Amino acid sequence: MRHSVVMIRFLCSSLIFLFIQSVAFTEAEASSQRLRFINHAIGYLNTPYRYTGTTAAGMDCSGFVYCTAHESLALQLPRSSPKIASYAKKVKDTEVQPGDLLFFNTAGANISHVGIYLGADLFIHAASEGRRTGVIISSLKERYWHKAYRSAGRITEPEDIFSGSTPLTPLLDRTPENTPLHSNILLE
């Protein structure tokens, strides 16, 4: 009998602990600047590409990142990809979290394109050329983007809710299997 009481108390304590942990995790997600930034960006999917554009009527890659940061984080970024790259804090490829920025060389210049990392091997950006243009989601596994990738940068603080989803796997080696998307990144 005494053993049963101890076991019941242990189970109740364990359930209470798990409940508190899940509530805290939910609160962390609710206050996540990175999730807010990413999900706001996803709201621009299928927006047409327009050079120098910064509205839902059309935007270029830096205009897309500029608008998303301004509207979701009240953050005033520079207005060009190279200047955003200079502004952002450099991040090692093994430490990139969803919501960090990815920088590419697509035009022979050092940095000529920017996108927002979503997780796994995916990023969202405004593409000007290719079979799909405008705000789209692309994979770093696509040969073009894999070859053009140069660096990552951070405009928000790292968040613990992504610590388990970004193991020390180099960015270009990440897959949906080894680095799945966070469940609160709303792709649909």
Side-chain angles (χ1 to χ4, degrees), residues 11-21:
L11 289 173
C12 287
S13 297
S14 296
L15 287 173
I16 290 169
F17 175 78
L18 290 173
F19 175 76
I20 290 169
Q21 290 297 327

Side-chain angles (χ1 to χ4, degrees), residues 3-177:
H3 178 70
S4 297
V5 171
V6 170
M7 186 59 102
I8 290 171
R9 285 183 180 164
F10 172 76
L11 289 173
C12 287
S13 297
S14 296
L15 287 173
I16 290 169
F17 175 78
L18 290 173
F19 175 76
I20 290 169
Q21 290 297 327
S22 69
V23 169
F25 191 73
T26 303
E27 289 173 9
E29 289 174 342
S31 64
S32 170
Q33 286 188 322
R34 289 173 174 271
L35 286 174
R36 186 170 57 246
F37 181 54
I38 289 167
N39 287 322
H40 193 82
I42 290 168
Y44 280 118
L45 270 175
N46 301 314
T47 297
Y49 179 85
R50 181 173 298 150
Y51 182 67
T52 72
T54 59
T55 68
M59 51 184 55
D60 62 13
C61 65
S62 60
F64 165 64
V65 171
Y66 171 88
C67 283
T68 303
H70 180 70
E71 293 169 359
S72 65
L73 304 172
L75 187 60
Q76 196 75 29
L77 294 179
R79 186 49 193 89
S80 70
S81 297
K83 288 182 180 178
I84 293 172
S86 294
Y87 175 88
K89 179 183 176 189
K90 298 288 182 229
V91 179
K92 294 178 187 176
D93 281 354
T94 56
E95 296 175 359
V96 176
Q97 288 191 345
D100 284 335
L101 304 180
L102 305 182
F103 299 102
F104 302 86
N105 176 347
T106 61
N110 285 336
I111 300 297
S112 52
H113 191 71
V114 61
I116 302 167
Y117 179 62
L118 298 176
D121 58 342
L122 302 176
F123 68 103
I124 186 169
H125 61 119
S128 62
E129 297 179 15
R131 62 180 207 275
R132 297 178 304 136
T133 62
V135 178
I136 60 172
I137 294 174
S138 295
S139 169
L140 287 164
K141 299 296 183 207
E142 294 174 40
R143 183 179 166 159
Y144 179 82
W145 296 114
H146 190 90
K147 186 177 176 184
Y149 172 74
R150 290 295 173 268
S151 64
R154 183 162 287 162
I155 59 171
T156 63
E157 292 300 316
E159 294 180 3
D160 290 341
I161 64 169
F162 295 111
S163 295
S165 68
T166 54
L168 297 178
T169 304
L171 181 65
L172 295 178
D173 293 335
R174 294 183 185 179
T175 66
E177 291 76 32

